[in-house]
């Protein structure tokens, strides 16, 4: 039996469906973001990154780099093992206290990634609640979907941000059945925001817990960067808030913040926490520095919103199909996986602009797009250059202009 054939066939299927992923080798340069070096087949070339999730450029902030270097010099590189075996390094304890304070919760628990915090946190919480029914938004991230699947509980999907449908499911479940509503605050592919106040109203009316993923909002929104929940004044009404340290905070890791009993229960029962090596002290110190800075500084958030608004305005004025978004996410509709990949390749190879194509299964078939994420450091010249390059690519590939209506279909 030739086992290699199974893997070769699987890859062939992906290529046939235009879903085979190709990664660009990028070397970020501290102090020069969003400029970077692309190690192309023909050699190193300078490019401008337009799709980074380091939304605020905190990965190059002097305070963040300084904290990481100082801690690494003092404590070394690794954590030494799991927290249960090797102990909890002091910078990790400080980080969890900082996160709990950010969200106004009694405690926080850090995981090795935002994906793991959902994949482990959701099923651990749900399994500890007998006969728990999970109500999940239709557009929840894969990490939430996997966490819900691993919970082994009954789950029901409500139409995306459809409060009437959610209420219908809550009412049908009955007042005595335990229920957990799981949603995101900001959906990163379309850039839309969940009606968190209405979700909290329904949860309180029908006796449900709430679990909200703030991965694309922490650091970005609210007076201290607590996310959409802080901005909308509902942070105290949400039972579990989940976030990442790898986007606006420019580091690595994920976390949940909640009441002390919930945090302690997850800490004590979650296999994805118990059996995983902890984050290294240097990363914890860097993340703490980023959180503390963004709690006090609004410059990054204000500048970021200004840049996102300008990108939307310039691209829309050029007739490019910018999908409607109320946040910093700027999706540009393509609608075809092969053309989306071609557009990305031309931008990188000929215009030195790096924007990864977003294809199925990340988005639904027929809604393929380029996902643009401006930062505070994309100046007017870079924005104008982006618009000119995109227009040339659109014309070359015969892509239609001003087709925003397709984005909603």
């Amino acid at each position: 039996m030739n086992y290699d054939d199974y893997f070769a066939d699987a890859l062939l299927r992906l290529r046939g469906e235009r879903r085979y992923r190709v990664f660009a080798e990028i070397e970020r340069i501290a102090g020069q973001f969003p400029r970077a070096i692309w190690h192309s087949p023909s050699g190193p070339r300078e490019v401008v990154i337009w799709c980074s999730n380091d939304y605020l450029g905190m990965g190059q902030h002097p305070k963040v780099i300084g904290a990481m270097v100082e801690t690494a010099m003092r404590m070394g590189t690794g954590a030494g093992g799991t927290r249960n075996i090797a102990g909890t390094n002091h910078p990790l304890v400080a980080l969890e206290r900082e996160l709990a304070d950010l969200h106004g919760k009694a405690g926080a628990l850090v995981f090795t990634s935002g994906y793991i915090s959902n994949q482990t946190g959701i099923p651990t919480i749900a399994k500890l609640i007998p006969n728990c029914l999970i109500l999940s938004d239709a557009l929840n991230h894969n990490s939430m979907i996997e966490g819900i699947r691993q919970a082994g509980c009954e789950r029901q999907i409500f139409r995306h941000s459809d409060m009437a449908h959610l209420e219908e499911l809550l009412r049908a479940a009955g007042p005595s059945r335990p229920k957990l509503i799981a949603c995101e605050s900001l959906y990163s592919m379309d850039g839309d925001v969940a009606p968190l106040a209405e979700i909290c109203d329904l949860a309180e009316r029908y006796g449900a817990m709430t679990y909200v993923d703030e991965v694309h909002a922490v650091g970005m929104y609210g007076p201290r960067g607590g996310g959409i929940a802080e901005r909308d004044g509902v942070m105290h009404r949400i039972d579990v808030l989940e976030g990442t340290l790898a986007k606006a905070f420019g580091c690595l890791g994920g976390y949940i913040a909640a009441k002390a009993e919930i945090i302690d229960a997850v800490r004590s029962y979650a296999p994805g926490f118990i059996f995983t090596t902890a984050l290294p002290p240097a990363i914890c110190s860097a993340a703490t520095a980023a959180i503390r800075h963004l709690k006090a500084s609004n410059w990054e958030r204000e500048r970021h919103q200004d840049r996102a608004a300008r990108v939307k305005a310039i691209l829309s004025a050029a007739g490019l199909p910018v999908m409607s978004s109320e946040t910093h996410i700027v999706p540009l509709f393509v609608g075809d996986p092969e053309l989306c990949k071609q557009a990305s390749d031309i931008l990188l190879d000929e215009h030195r602009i790096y924007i990864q194509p977003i294809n199925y299964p990340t988005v639904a078939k027929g809604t393929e797009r380029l996902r643009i994420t401006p930062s505070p450091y994309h100046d007017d010249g870079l924005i104008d250059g982006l618009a000119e390059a995109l227009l040339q690519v659109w014309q070359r590939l015969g892509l239609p202009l001003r087709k925003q209506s397709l984005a909603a279909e």
Side-chain angles (χ1 to χ4, degrees):
M1 182 177 292
N2 188 349
Y3 288 97
D4 293 345
D5 288 346
Y6 294 113
F7 305 107
D9 289 345
L11 293 172
L12 189 62
R13 288 195 301 272
L14 282 180
R15 288 188 171 94
E17 297 168 3
R18 303 296 188 267
R19 293 200 292 124
Y20 182 76
R21 297 173 186 261
V22 178
F23 300 145
E25 185 179 345
I26 301 293
E27 181 181 343
R28 285 158 48 105
I29 306 169
Q32 297 186 34
F33 183 77
R35 290 175 173 83
I37 300 299
W38 169 42
H39 291 270
S40 75
S42 58
R45 300 172 64 186
E46 184 179 286
V47 297
V48 176
I49 300 175
W50 276 100
C51 56
S52 175
N53 282 346
D54 185 2
Y55 291 133
L56 301 179
M58 292 302 293
Q60 66 170 10
H61 196 285
K63 290 181 181 177
V64 179
I65 296 174
M68 177 175 281
V69 171
E70 187 279 329
T71 302
M73 292 294 293
R74 181 166 48 88
M75 300 184 67
T77 56
T82 68
R83 294 171 73 172
N84 294 279
I85 292 174
T88 296
N89 65 74
H90 179 68
L92 183 44
V93 175
L95 172 60
E96 288 177 337
R97 288 173 179 162
E98 204 70 40
L99 289 166
D101 175 78
L102 176 66
H103 293 293
K105 301 298 184 185
L109 192 68
V110 167
F111 297 82
T112 50
S113 74
Y115 194 102
I116 296 298
S117 59
N118 276 334
Q119 188 186 37
T120 295
I122 292 173
T124 302
I125 291 168
K127 285 177 179 179
L128 293 174
I129 305 171
N131 196 31
C132 182
L133 170 65
I134 302 177
L135 302 163
S136 175
D137 187 285
L139 293 189
N140 276 343
H141 188 262
N142 176 266
S143 59
M144 300 184 77
I145 293 170
E146 280 299 303
I148 292 166
R149 183 183 63 80
Q150 292 177 25
C153 304
E154 182 184 354
R155 58 188 183 275
Q156 296 178 354
I157 312 300
F158 62 91
R159 291 185 292 272
H160 178 53
S161 292
D162 187 331
M163 295 300 97
H165 190 209
L166 176 59
E167 182 168 18
E168 177 186 326
L169 296 176
L170 286 166
R171 186 184 299 114
S176 61
R177 183 169 189 186
K179 298 169 286 290
L180 176 65
I181 301 171
C183 69
E184 299 180 45
S185 66
L186 194 165
Y187 292 85
S188 64
M189 290 300 116
D190 293 330
D192 60 316
V193 171
L196 293 184
E198 295 178 57
I199 289 172
C200 290
D201 290 343
L202 290 175
E204 291 163 7
R205 186 179 309 154
Y206 292 97
M209 279 186 66
T210 46
Y211 183 107
V212 177
D213 177 317
E214 287 258 43
V215 158
H216 292 276
V218 289
M220 311 287 295
Y221 298 90
R224 298 200 310 158
I228 297 293
E230 183 187 33
R231 185 199 71 177
D232 292 355
V234 297
M235 201 160 54
H236 63 289
R237 301 175 65 190
I238 295 169
D239 294 295
V240 184
L241 286 159
E242 184 269 344
T244 185
L245 306 170
K247 293 182 170 58
F249 299 129
C251 295
L252 175 71
Y255 64 89
I256 60 172
K259 292 179 179 178
E261 293 81 4
I262 295 174
I263 295 300
D264 199 16
V266 174
R267 180 190 69 84
S268 301
Y269 281 90
F273 171 81
I274 295 170
F275 298 105
T276 301
T277 297
L279 285 185
I283 291 177
C284 296
S285 291
T288 300
I291 296 164
R292 286 175 179 167
H293 176 79
L294 290 174
K295 281 179 178 179
S297 173
N298 278 313
W299 179 87
E300 289 83 2
R301 284 186 283 275
E302 292 170 358
R303 171 72 174 174
H304 185 261
Q305 290 297 320
D306 173 81
R307 298 292 83 193
R310 181 170 177 82
V311 169
K312 292 176 187 177
I314 295 295
L315 299 190
S316 296
L320 290 158
V322 178
M323 300 170 67
S324 177
S325 163
E326 59 185 294
T327 61
H328 61 280
I329 306 295
V330 186
L332 197 60
F333 185 81
V334 178
D336 179 274
E338 193 160 353
L339 290 175
C340 197
K341 180 66 168 64
Q342 288 181 31
S344 175
D345 289 345
I346 295 169
L347 285 168
L348 183 59
D349 190 52
E350 299 182 16
H351 299 276
R352 301 192 180 189
I353 289 173
Y354 176 51
I355 309 174
Q356 271 290 78
I358 305 296
N359 293 335
Y360 177 83
T362 306
V363 295
K365 292 180 179 179
T367 69
E368 292 82 5
R369 67 200 66 178
L370 298 177
R371 177 181 176 271
I372 299 167
T373 55
S375 78
Y377 303 99
H378 286 89
D379 60 29
D380 289 355
L382 292 179
I383 294 173
D384 292 341
L386 172 68
E388 292 170 9
L390 285 169
L391 275 175
Q392 291 181 32
V393 170
W394 248 244
Q395 291 164 2
R396 178 168 164 180
L397 296 178
L399 290 167
L401 298 175
R402 292 193 173 91
K403 291 293 184 181
Q404 292 95 327
S405 60
L406 290 175
E409 296 177 2

